[in-house]
């Protein structure tokens, strides 16, 4: 009995609020151009709420992320709480003020997650955006990639950053992968941000790397298995670096929690991806 109480106390009171670990991946995707080296720092699933993800903690995470020296910082959605348990509310302008600390040579870029719609009563009632999160990110000049692609260069080498609108909320989802890919006008490599990893089976080989969050690594992970995963593919895309048919997907375990403030065997993390 005591061991069960101790485990529960750790899962609620310690692991969800510990300093994020840094999870590093190094890969050279298929057809990645020689000489293009790119470091991506990825933050997913902040889920701002008190006491677990206060503005102060978000600010500390931003400082930690900046110190990792990314060429780009990518935010993979779910900024709003998503908690069924009553917690302290954090206004979007308060967490946005902390995210404004983020800085990288090639900028900070974002997609929205399902809770950024589902937990926004005004946007859901109106049946359209912009959402509270759109407004908060616009106020700190962070672009949101709603089915959008933009071309960048690093050391004279071009690449594309693309992002999908959310696949779940609202209604049938707002993502449009074909329209997003149609914006890419040359053969430079493509990095795709997609909050939910479920789109991965339909991502073309043209995309060098897909980056997702949403699953939180299951939030509870026992011996490499998560009993509850918010994905129709269950543990197939729950966490980590997945390679299928020479296509790469990295799923972050994320930073916050949703539904319940519990993490066990899936600590908060910042992802660093070294490409090339």
């Amino acid at each position: 009995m005591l061991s069960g109480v101790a485990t529960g106390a750790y899962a609620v009171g310690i692991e969800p609020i510990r300093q994020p670990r840094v999870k590093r991946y190094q890969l050279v995707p298929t057809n990645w151009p020689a000489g293009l080296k790119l470091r991506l720092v990825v933050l997913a699933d902040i889920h701002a709420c008190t006491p677990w993800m206060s503005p102060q903690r978000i600010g500390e995470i931003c400082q930690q992320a900046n110190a990792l020296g990314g060429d780009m910082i990518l935010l993979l959605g779910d900024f709003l709480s998503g908690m069924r348990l009553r917690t302290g509310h954090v206004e979007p302008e308060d967490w946005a003020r902390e995210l404004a600390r983020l800085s990288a040579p090639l900028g900070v870029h974002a997609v929205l997650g399902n809770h950024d719609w589902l937990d926004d009563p005004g946007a859901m009632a109106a049946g359209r955006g912009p959402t509270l999160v759109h407004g908060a990110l616009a106020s700190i000049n962070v672009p949101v990639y709603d089915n959008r692609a933009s071309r960048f260069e690093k050391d004279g080498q071009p690449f594309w950053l693309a992002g999908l609108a959310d696949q779940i909320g609202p209604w049938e989802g707002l993502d449009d992968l074909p329209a997003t890919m149609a914006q890419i006008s040359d053969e430079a490599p493509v990095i795709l941000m997609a909050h939910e990893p479920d789109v991965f089976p339909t991502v073309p080989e043209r995309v060098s790397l897909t980056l997702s969050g949403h699953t939180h690594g299951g939030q509870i992970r026992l011996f490499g298995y998560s009993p509850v995963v918010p994905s129709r593919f269950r543990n197939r895309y729950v966490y980590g670096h997945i390679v299928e048919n020479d296509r790469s997907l990295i799923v972050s375990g994320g930073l916050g929690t949703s539904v319940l403030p519990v993490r066990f065997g899936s600590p908060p993390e910042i992802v660093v991806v070294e490409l090339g």
Side-chain angles (χ1 to χ4, degrees), residues 168-193:
I168 297 177
W171 316 289
E172 297 298 322
L174 301 172
D175 59 303
D176 192 335
L177 180 59
T180 305
M181 295 301 298
Q183 299 169 42
I184 295 166
S185 58
D186 59 27
E187 296 303 312
V190 180
I191 298 160
L192 177 67
M193 300 182 290

Side-chain angles (χ1 to χ4, degrees), residues 147-149 160-164 176-186 188-192 202-208 210:
N147 304 319
R148 169 185 165 190
W160 291 83
L161 179 67
L164 295 182
D176 192 335
L177 180 59
T180 305
M181 295 301 298
Q183 299 169 42
I184 295 166
S185 58
D186 59 27
V190 180
I191 298 160
L192 177 67
T202 65
V203 172
E205 293 181 8
R206 177 75 181 80
V207 174
S208 298
T210 302

Side-chain angles (χ1 to χ4, degrees), residues 27-33 189 205-208 243 245-248:
L27 61 151
V28 181
T30 303
N31 299 323
W32 188 260
E205 293 181 8
R206 177 75 181 80
V207 174
S208 298
V243 179
N245 300 320
D246 291 327
R247 298 169 308 122
S248 279

Side-chain angles (χ1 to χ4, degrees), residues 227-273:
V228 178
V229 182
S231 165
R232 68 179 185 272
F233 294 104
R234 306 289 293 169
N235 274 259
R236 180 176 170 183
Y237 301 137
V238 66
Y239 178 72
H241 183 199
I242 298 106
V243 179
E244 293 182 354
N245 300 320
D246 291 327
R247 298 169 308 122
S248 279
L249 165 69
I250 291 176
V251 181
S252 170
L255 293 161
T257 59
S258 64
V259 183
L260 294 173
V262 174
R263 275 186 179 264
F264 186 81
S266 181
E269 67 178 26
I270 298 172
V271 168
V272 177
V273 183

